[in-house]
Amino acid sequence: MINSILKRTLSVACGVFISMLCAGSLLAADAPAKDQSRAPVKVILDTDMVELFDDGIAMMMLKSDPSIDLLGVVTVTGNSWANDGMAYLVRQLEVMKNGKPYPDLVIGQQYPDRRGGGFGRDILKKELSSYGDVMEGYIGAQETDNPKTWQDSYQKRYGVKPPKDLKIRQDGVDYLIEMAHKYPHQIKLVAIGPTTNIAGVARKDPEAIRLFDEVIYMGGAFWVKGNAHQNAEFNIWLDPESTKVAYRAPFDNQTFVALDVTDKTIMDHDRFNAIRSHIKNPELLKMFNDSFFAKRFDADKDNKFSWFVWDVIAAAITIDPSLILSTRIAYIDCVDQPGASYGRTVPYSREEAPEGSRPASIVQEIDQDRFWNMLYKYLEQF
């Protein structure tokens, strides 16, 4: 596995060189040049889907790009309930201008493992207040009630009945196993929510894990503070037990978009306004303007409020790995025992690594100018 990660590191180094050569080129700043002779990269997105930022935009980028074959989207409970996530996913697919066929639509795990800490609202709130709340008490899906079905969620959210002709599976873990065996060593699994589905695969069929070409996670905080509580990033904090299983699963290649890089990718007022100006689809623009963070930006007359992007970076480096300018290799693990470090992601050197931990490539820097210009271009296409 070390050899595989070294190959990825060399690929990143080549990407840095290419970025330097292209620094003055508007074409390179807008979007990477694609080798049209190569077959599209097969991708499955594992997501706690929300409207637009952040998971929705990540999905639309992967669906739109000609170099990507988005095989399927599997929802998981995190920022949203898995059923809510499917409703948001279906609606965004409906209003997109892109004419490519829908990916497979699959509902994954409805509840995290979290056997140590529990998943009740009061429990989550208490943890945040005890361990150093960072996100103003935000507890994701548990902010609302879990809908009985995705159709109930869709009708409540959008005021109309959901489409009837969609085939939506309810077996996210089995779907991931099935696709790994169908396309061995061909699929990049882009996991931008909690790791509950992946842990389910690792427990049920460890061999399927070995059959993925790469897993690209958005999650973790390795050399920086957390954003749920002081010691944990949100996706990991919602299911530390599953994370420990996922991190020790036998993936040949693991790449992390963690807070180590997302904390440097800041949406200030200028970027927020640029994003708004590049959204040409009126239904998506309305969705954007109705989002809670857009309202926060609009209410902030002193221009002090800012936001981050997370999952969009994972999608961007999947489409164009040369956006990565630097990485760090570490053996990784997760604290799955309740306490002040519950959900902490821990990097180790090879010599210090606990038995069972595995190496990963953790992104440290991306080409910010190319990334933002890439995002703006995609927004106009949706």
Side-chain angles (χ1 to χ4, degrees), residues 211-322:
L211 296 177
F212 286 101
D213 175 61
E214 180 180 13
V215 61
I216 299 172
Y217 287 107
M218 190 283 118
F222 291 94
W223 293 280
V224 297
K225 290 183 178 180
N227 67 354
H229 64 74
Q230 292 289 335
N231 293 314
E233 186 271 331
F234 179 82
N235 283 345
I236 310 307
W237 170 67
L238 273 191
D239 199 351
E241 287 83 356
S242 289
T243 298
K244 193 174 190 75
V245 172
Y247 283 9
R248 290 171 174 239
F251 287 107
D252 283 340
N253 297 290
Q254 299 186 100
T255 299
F256 280 81
V257 174
L259 299 190
D260 303 71
V261 66
T262 66
D263 280 357
K264 304 169 187 174
T265 311
I266 300 170
M267 185 192 302
D268 57 16
H269 273 262
D270 287 341
R271 284 175 174 156
F272 169 80
N273 290 327
I275 287 169
R276 176 178 270 165
S277 70
H278 282 85
I279 299 176
K280 307 304 182 184
N281 184 319
E283 293 191 69
L284 292 178
L285 182 59
K286 181 181 185 304
M287 196 178 286
F288 177 81
N289 289 332
D290 288 342
S291 67
F292 82 94
F293 80 90
K295 293 176 180 177
R296 289 282 296 269
F297 271 106
D298 289 338
D300 177 38
K301 305 306 180 185
D302 296 327
N303 287 358
K304 294 181 178 180
F305 181 72
S306 62
W307 199 242
F308 299 95
V309 291
W310 298 278
D311 307 319
V312 173
I313 301 175
I317 68 164
T318 302
I319 295 167
D320 181 13
S322 76

Side-chain angles (χ1 to χ4, degrees), residues 85-158:
M86 182 53 65
Y88 305 150
L89 170 60
V90 168
R91 183 60 179 166
Q92 289 173 104
L93 288 170
E94 286 182 301
V95 302
M96 280 185 71
K97 296 177 181 177
N98 182 279
K100 292 169 70 175
Y102 284 9
D104 296 334
L105 306 178
V106 191
I107 296 172
Q109 300 291 80
Q110 294 281 357
Y111 290 93
D113 184 330
R114 238 177 181 274
R115 68 190 69 179
F119 192 55
R121 289 177 185 172
D122 292 343
I123 290 172
L124 296 176
K125 293 280 189 182
K126 184 176 180 180
E127 280 187 22
L128 290 181
S129 63
S130 299
Y131 304 155
D133 183 9
V134 176
M135 292 189 73
E136 301 174 0
Y138 176 68
I139 55 174
Q142 279 288 29
E143 298 280 343
T144 62
D145 293 332
N146 188 6
K148 291 182 180 180
T149 67
W150 77 267
Q151 293 95 332
D152 289 342
S153 175
Y154 185 102
Q155 186 157 354
K156 181 179 178 181
R157 175 68 176 167
Y158 303 112

Side-chain angles (χ1 to χ4, degrees), residues 43-65 68-75 85-96 98 100-105 190 192 284 287 311-316 319 375 378 382:
V43 170
I44 294 175
L45 182 66
D46 184 350
T47 170
D48 53 343
M49 179 60 66
V50 298
E51 293 177 340
L52 298 185
F53 282 93
D54 218 6
D55 303 67
I57 296 295
M59 179 276 294
M60 288 188 273
M61 289 171 64
L62 293 170
K63 183 175 184 294
S64 298
D65 194 277
I68 299 296
D69 179 8
L70 183 60
L71 298 174
V73 181
V74 185
T75 63
M86 182 53 65
Y88 305 150
L89 170 60
V90 168
R91 183 60 179 166
Q92 289 173 104
L93 288 170
E94 286 182 301
V95 302
M96 280 185 71
N98 182 279
K100 292 169 70 175
Y102 284 9
D104 296 334
L105 306 178
V190 181
I192 58 177
L284 292 178
M287 196 178 286
D311 307 319
V312 173
I313 301 175
I319 295 167
L375 173 58
Y378 279 112
F382 300 153

